[in-house]
Amino acid sequence: MLLGTLRELLKGKHDLFKDLWIDQSDYDFKPYPVISLSMAGRGKGEEKLERGIVNRLNIQAKNNGLAPFDGFSPGDLLEMMVDNLHERTKERVVILIDEYDAPIQDVLNDIELAEIH
């Protein structure tokens, strides 16, 4: 819930914060491009995890008005998204990562998989 609230705040959705403290503050509700990822449910195993992250990043690309990127590693894909969003908006890009520890939590009982993650 916290990251969802931050996402909407950073997207500049002022109407969602009417009559709250931040509405009375000097916060300007300037919209920023936001990439919001949840690491929960990406799958066990290196390939499933990577494919899950790439799929999630491509959904975020679409949500931010970018065409999907195919054939790239999650790191390269994220870097290209940030570069494209920054170039298009001239604003800093916000990256919110929820459940960042989920991939390791999912495999804690499997030492071999835990070491890969």
Side-chain angles (χ1 to χ4, degrees):
M1 185 193 292
L2 175 63
L3 288 185
T5 302
L6 283 174
R7 180 183 59 241
E8 299 308 313
L9 181 66
L10 292 164
K11 285 184 170 187
K13 304 251 177 114
H14 187 206
D15 57 314
L16 296 177
F17 298 92
K18 293 272 190 226
D19 300 323
L20 298 177
W21 172 86
I22 199 157
D23 185 36
Q24 311 303 316
S25 75
D26 61 352
Y27 186 73
D28 65 359
F29 289 91
K30 179 179 179 180
Y32 293 92
V34 177
I35 298 170
S36 181
L37 297 172
S38 174
M39 298 300 287
R42 298 298 116 212
K44 293 180 183 177
E46 190 174 3
E47 280 184 35
K48 285 183 181 178
L49 178 61
E50 187 171 315
R51 190 171 41 250
I53 294 170
V54 166
N55 288 341
R56 202 67 192 131
L57 284 169
N58 274 313
I59 289 168
Q60 288 297 299
K62 182 179 177 184
N63 290 346
N64 280 286
L66 300 174
F69 299 87
D70 293 320
F72 294 97
S73 71
D76 289 342
L77 178 52
L78 182 59
E79 183 178 351
M80 288 187 301
M81 287 176 62
V82 169
D83 289 346
N84 277 270
L85 287 170
H86 176 69
E87 185 176 310
R88 189 178 75 201
T89 64
K90 305 300 184 225
E91 296 293 341
R92 290 183 175 186
V93 177
V94 177
I95 302 171
L96 301 174
I97 301 176
D98 199 9
E99 302 286 340
Y100 65 89
D101 59 341
I104 197 77
Q105 292 286 336
D106 289 346
V107 296
L108 274 180
N109 294 327
D110 186 331
I111 299 301
E112 188 176 321
L113 278 177
E115 287 176 350
I116 291 171
H117 286 91

